[in-house]
Amino acid sequence: MQLSQSNLKNINAQVVGKPNADIFDLPAKVLQFGTGVLLRGLPDYYIDKANKAGIFNGRVVVVKSTDTGSTKEFDEQDSLYTVCVRGIENGQKIEENIINASISKVLVAGTQWQEVLDFAASPHLQVIISNTTEVGIQLVEDDVHAHPPVSFPGKLLAVLFHRYKIFNGAEDRGLVIVPTELIPDNATKLKDILLKQAKKNQLPQDFMNWMQNSNQFCNSLVDRIVPGKPDAAALENLQQELGYTDNLLTMSEVYSLWAIEGNEKVKQKLSFAEADKGVVITPDINLHRELKLRLLNGTHTISCGVAYLAGFETVKLAMDNEEMETFIADLMKEEIAPAIPYQVTSDVTDDFADKVLDRFRNPHIKHQWLSISMNYTSKLKMRVVPVLLNHYKKFTHVPQLIAFGFAAYIRFIEGKQEGDKFYGELNGVKYHINDDKAAYVIDMLQKHQDKKVEAILADNFIWGDSLAELPGFVKAVNKYYEEIKKSSVSTLLKQFKNSKAQA
């Protein structure tokens, strides 16, 4: 039996949460650019939850912008799909299955553009959501009158211009536009691109005034691991448990956050936020960005070299090891959190850190440390260096765990070029150094064999600052680097844990 609207009556409600029939009669209120798993596992998850609670009462029309693939899987299942939530929350195991009925239909931009424009003229439309990857929010030469325009901003501009014309520029027909692309100030950048494209396309000034004043562009930050469809064996087991097949089945972790920058008017339009505390509408989302960037992403980045060199393949395996788990928790709570370059209380950082540790322990997420090490150097610069510099503004001591992390980074990135790629070696096994700065860093290491640690840390090109000027930092990193070479990362992890126990 395949998941579909007509088959809902045959599905066991004890195994999976099902939508009521009246949900299918709700008007579409959201236009969504993108069909990916993040949108299905986060914004559409919240909208479905709100609809089932009788709060938002609106469904989603999805636009498939790319020419690759088809909408067959959505069409065959009446756009229904299952979200399987798996993970740890407050130390407790969570397993939940939900049939999501938020999507009304999926339109292909290339062949159904007129239908997209027809929906743009709907009096029910209130919200536009997007996730077209970071590449999607870029200014390109585009014709807003094409069917369809080439770029996502071009398509969005065409939608807004069509709506403006249909409603004669009525102020109350403006929309709330919430991009979820993972770039800072995503809505601000998108709005700027639309204005430039509008001028290039010689659209009326009155329209540009309406676009700026009657529509609200909201920067947002999304945070949820949504791996999508599991491997074949896991999928088969799940479908046997559920009692039906689902070609759109989506796995998701428990934790979720959608921080949206907006005022009371935005809150009224995005009433689905009332259904889940994971949706946060606030005038300033920078605190949420800093917490995620430093405590989650920063901890991942500092830890990846340590964990990989210690022999752990995934984050979960590292968290199963007492010494590695202690290192990660102490790094996050005792060194990163107090030095976040933003005004934040320890209660807030402790609460967020505990949630992050639960996420790291999730047995259903197989997050590879080697994947996390991609562009290792740039990630350290963006995520960790601001914390390190702020640490030295606030404290006089060396952050030992961060220093150890930098030592592991240097040991990890030491490698050789083979063709157009770089490889390191651990216990006789080669690993790929997938870092856009690898050529530069490895060349530096080879040129400064005697003082490689100091040379790397002092390099302004790599870090934007000379980390060698931070009191005691070079000495600490060099000590740990030499100890890693002489003994092992695992030995040092045990020493950290033992020294903490004795303190």
Side-chain angles (χ1 to χ4, degrees):
M1 176 175 65
Q2 185 167 14
L3 176 60
S4 66
Q5 189 174 338
S6 60
N7 282 332
L8 283 175
K9 61 182 180 295
N10 302 317
I11 292 173
N12 186 355
Q14 301 297 315
V15 176
V16 60
K18 300 195 298 182
N20 294 325
D22 56 358
I23 280 182
F24 298 99
D25 297 324
L26 295 175
K29 293 183 179 180
V30 181
L31 179 61
Q32 174 177 299
F33 286 89
T35 60
V37 293
L38 178 65
L39 288 170
R40 284 188 270 140
L42 196 69
D44 297 342
Y45 167 87
Y46 292 133
I47 291 168
D48 180 67
K49 188 173 181 179
N51 287 341
K52 287 170 180 171
I55 296 174
F56 182 63
N57 298 321
R59 301 181 78 201
V60 182
V61 171
V62 175
V63 178
K64 186 179 184 301
S65 296
T66 59
D67 294 329
T68 56
S70 71
T71 63
K72 181 182 177 183
E73 292 177 328
F74 288 93
D75 298 338
E76 289 178 344
Q77 299 183 181
D78 302 310
S79 297
L80 295 171
Y81 63 95
T82 312
V83 178
C84 297
V85 181
R86 300 287 188 274
I88 307 292
E89 186 173 48
N90 298 323
Q92 301 298 311
K93 185 178 179 182
I94 303 292
E95 292 189 0
E96 187 179 15
N97 305 314
I98 307 152
I99 294 176
N100 188 301
S102 63
I103 298 176
S104 173
K105 58 183 173 182
V106 180
L107 302 175
V108 179
T111 58
Q112 296 173 292
W113 186 241
Q114 188 56 50
E115 288 184 58
V116 175
L117 294 179
D118 290 344
F119 180 54
S122 167
H124 299 294
L125 179 60
Q126 296 180 4
V127 183
I128 293 181
I129 301 170
S130 70
N131 193 299
T132 55
T133 76
E134 296 88 312
V135 178
I137 300 184
Q138 289 190 13
L139 178 63
V140 299
E141 291 293 329
D142 213 344
D143 178 6
V144 71
H145 305 292
H147 267 65
V150 174
S151 66
F152 160 59
K155 293 180 177 71
L156 177 56
L157 184 62
V159 162
L160 293 174
F161 187 50
H162 185 71
R163 186 172 181 84
Y164 165 82
K165 291 186 293 182
I166 291 296
F167 292 109
N168 297 311
E171 288 185 23
D172 63 348
R173 293 302 181 180
L175 305 171
V176 175
I177 299 159
V178 192
T180 67
E181 287 80 359
L182 294 173
I183 56 174
D185 303 320
N186 43 22
T188 303
K189 291 175 182 174
L190 178 60
K191 184 178 181 181
D192 182 61
I193 289 170
L194 293 185
L195 287 170
K196 289 176 180 175
Q197 282 193 335
K199 289 177 182 177
K200 284 176 177 282
N201 280 269
Q202 299 182 329
L203 299 183
Q205 184 62 46
D206 285 348
F207 162 69
M208 287 189 271
N209 293 340
W210 176 83
M211 183 171 69
Q212 290 187 84
N213 301 324
S214 298
N215 298 272
Q216 291 174 288
F217 290 78
C218 303
N219 295 317
S220 85
L221 171 72
V222 290
D223 187 10
R224 191 179 212 182
I225 299 173
V226 187
K229 193 181 292 187
D231 60 54
L235 179 62
E236 184 178 352
N237 290 336
L238 271 170
Q239 292 185 147
Q240 286 181 356
E241 175 190 336
L242 296 169
Y244 57 85
T245 58
D246 178 359
N247 292 319
L248 295 169
L249 186 144
T250 301
M251 300 296 296
S252 169
E253 70 169 332
V254 177
Y255 178 85
S256 68
L257 172 70
W258 191 10
I260 302 169
E261 215 162 66
N263 54 23
E264 288 303 316
K265 186 176 179 181
V266 169
K267 282 186 179 181
Q268 291 173 10
K269 287 279 185 75
L270 306 184
S271 60
F272 54 77
E274 299 171 25
D276 195 295
K277 62 183 180 181
V279 187
V280 179
I281 301 174
T282 176
D284 182 6
I285 64 170
N286 284 318
L287 170 60
H288 299 280
R289 184 180 307 284
E290 280 295 310
L291 289 172
K292 177 180 183 291
L293 184 65
R294 310 306 175 191
L295 294 178
L296 173 65
N297 303 134
T299 300
H300 261 160
T301 301
I302 301 175
S303 301
C304 68
V306 174
Y308 187 79
L309 295 174
F312 302 110
E313 186 178 342
T314 66
V315 175
K316 174 60 170 64
L317 289 172
M319 294 301 288
D320 288 341
N321 177 271
E322 195 173 344
E323 288 85 12
M324 190 70 211
E325 182 187 40
T326 299
F327 171 82
I328 289 173
D330 289 350
L331 169 69
M332 194 187 308
K333 290 185 174 184
E334 297 177 11
E335 290 194 358
I336 297 178
I340 290 176
Y342 197 87
Q343 194 67 36
V344 57
T345 67
S346 59
D347 288 344
V348 171
T349 57
D350 283 348
D351 179 66
F352 192 88
D354 286 338
K355 289 184 172 69
V356 170
L357 292 170
D358 275 345
R359 297 172 73 184
F360 287 0
R361 296 185 185 103
N362 190 343
H364 299 278
I365 305 293
K366 295 179 180 178
H367 207 169
Q368 307 280 332
W369 286 113
L370 210 53
S371 298
I372 294 169
S373 74
M374 180 179 177
N375 294 330
Y376 201 165
T377 309
S378 298
K379 286 177 179 176
L380 277 173
K381 178 183 177 181
M382 181 178 70
R383 300 171 175 181
V384 181
V385 168
V387 171
L388 178 61
L389 296 177
N390 201 48
H391 171 92
Y392 274 95
K393 288 180 182 178
K394 299 177 70 174
F395 310 107
T396 57
H397 64 276
V398 176
Q400 297 293 329
L401 302 182
I402 293 178
F404 181 41
F406 270 86
Y409 155 77
I410 293 170
R411 172 63 187 88
F412 177 92
I413 206 168
E414 284 183 303
K416 296 179 181 178
Q417 186 170 0
E418 295 183 19
D420 60 350
K421 294 183 178 180
F422 294 88
Y423 293 90
E425 186 174 305
L426 178 66
N427 299 326
V429 178
K430 288 198 301 185
Y431 56 86
H432 183 206
I433 301 171
N434 190 8
D435 189 318
D436 61 349
K437 299 289 192 300
Y440 181 86
V441 175
I442 290 172
D443 182 59
M444 284 285 293
L445 289 170
Q446 291 172 347
K447 285 180 178 177
H448 300 275
Q449 286 291 331
D450 295 335
K451 291 188 175 182
K452 60 177 66 176
V453 170
E454 183 175 355
I456 291 298
L457 294 180
D459 196 293
N460 280 275
F461 174 76
I462 299 176
W463 312 117
D465 283 277
S466 173
L467 306 185
E469 295 177 11
L470 302 174
F473 194 64
V474 169
K475 183 178 179 181
V477 175
N478 193 64
K479 180 187 75 170
Y480 291 128
Y481 171 77
E482 293 297 334
E483 288 180 2
I484 288 171
K485 288 176 65 177
K486 289 176 185 176
S487 55
S488 70
V489 168
S490 298
T491 300
L492 287 168
L493 287 170
K494 288 177 182 177
Q495 289 177 10
F496 279 122
K497 187 173 182 301
N498 291 337
S499 62
K500 181 186 179 183
Q502 294 168 7

